[in-house]
Amino acid sequence: MTGMDALELTKKGHACVRLTRNGRTLVIDPGGFSEADAALGADVVLVTHEHPDHFDEGRLRTAMEANPAAEIWTLRSVADKIAGAFPGRVHTVGHGDAFEAAGFQIEVHGELHAVIHPDIPRITNVGYVVDGRVFHPGDALTVPERPVETLLLPVHAPWNKFSEVLDYVREVKPRVAYDIHDGLLNGTGIALFERQLGPGGPGTGGTEHVHLAADESVSLTR
């Protein structure tokens, strides 16, 4: 892979990331816990599910109005909320779909949100593999039906616990895992996960664990 093909990953707070390659930008889950400008400048926006920390209608509308060529791919529950404002630019996807958007190759994996509590109905949730390399599972511990080098790891949520997070990393076996879904953690909590998922913990099976601060970027090269 050449330098021109390198993916730049930027953390935009909580569950949102930006991926940039060859001058094109893809944004996943610009929700209410991420930076206000998270979706601005995007050519492609992917949304995993309808919860407000992943889907903020106002931020999506601003991004779509700023770039008339921008398009959204998401599941039906989100598409139904915003498609009417942007005819032909909001696309509905589900598990097993694969498509190209702005030069990115995208696969859809997963169907349901993780269980928060048996009394809370489960909603739909999809994850996205981008360019066969980076997987964002949304609010689920979906194991994609293919190997991935980079896992965006939901470290903290009302629906998970540390043992599940660690076992998920071991099962997916990525080369590196970058934290997402950390918007409810303070510095003490972040340090705990860095320790437990790092050399001081029980072991990730060889996966490198990295915590990125908001607006911090890293180049993903092979």
Side-chain angles (χ1 to χ4, degrees):
M1 175 166 292
T2 67
M4 286 295 289
D5 291 324
L7 277 173
E8 181 178 73
L9 183 151
T10 302
K11 177 77 174 291
K12 294 301 290 185
H14 193 55
C16 181
V17 298
R18 293 172 68 95
L19 294 169
T20 303
R21 178 168 54 75
N22 294 340
R24 309 303 295 274
T25 297
L26 178 151
V27 176
I28 307 177
D29 281 2
F33 291 2
S34 54
E35 280 67 45
D37 66 349
L40 287 177
D43 300 290
V44 180
V45 179
L46 308 178
V47 180
T48 63
H49 66 288
E50 64 198 82
H51 283 162
D53 55 328
H54 297 255
F55 164 58
D56 184 289
E57 183 174 345
R59 292 179 185 187
L60 282 185
R61 285 177 176 269
T62 298
M64 295 288 277
E65 291 165 357
N67 178 7
E71 297 183 77
I72 297 171
W73 278 260
T74 186
L75 35 68
R76 183 167 301 280
S77 59
V78 173
D80 286 348
K81 298 177 189 297
I82 198 168
F86 303 100
R89 298 171 62 192
V90 180
H91 313 279
T92 301
V93 296
H95 175 68
D97 288 342
F99 57 96
E100 180 178 336
F104 295 94
Q105 302 296 324
I106 303 161
E107 301 170 9
V108 184
H109 296 259
E111 299 181 83
L112 288 172
H113 193 288
V115 174
I116 301 172
H117 186 276
D119 293 347
I120 299 175
R122 295 177 76 182
I123 63 172
T124 50
N125 175 95
V126 294
Y128 300 101
V129 173
V130 179
D131 285 349
R133 302 170 59 192
V134 179
F135 182 52
H136 189 308
D139 275 7
L141 299 180
T142 302
V143 177
E145 299 170 358
R146 51 127 62 239
V148 290
E149 297 177 0
T150 301
L151 174 65
L152 302 176
L153 177 66
V155 291
H156 180 260
W159 47 265
N160 72 13
K161 59 184 180 181
F162 174 72
S163 63
E164 296 171 335
V165 171
L166 178 59
D167 287 345
Y168 181 55
V169 174
R170 290 175 174 178
E171 187 171 4
V172 176
K173 300 182 178 67
R175 183 180 62 81
V176 60
Y178 292 96
D179 290 345
I180 58 168
H181 219 284
D182 54 2
L184 298 180
L185 290 174
N186 60 17
T188 301
I190 290 169
L192 183 147
F193 279 98
E194 287 186 310
R195 182 171 66 253
Q196 292 287 60
L197 291 167
T204 59
T207 294
E208 178 187 2
H209 168 254
V210 178
H211 177 83
L212 296 177
D215 284 323
E216 187 175 357
S217 299
V218 64
S219 182
L220 307 180
T221 57
R222 289 190 174 125

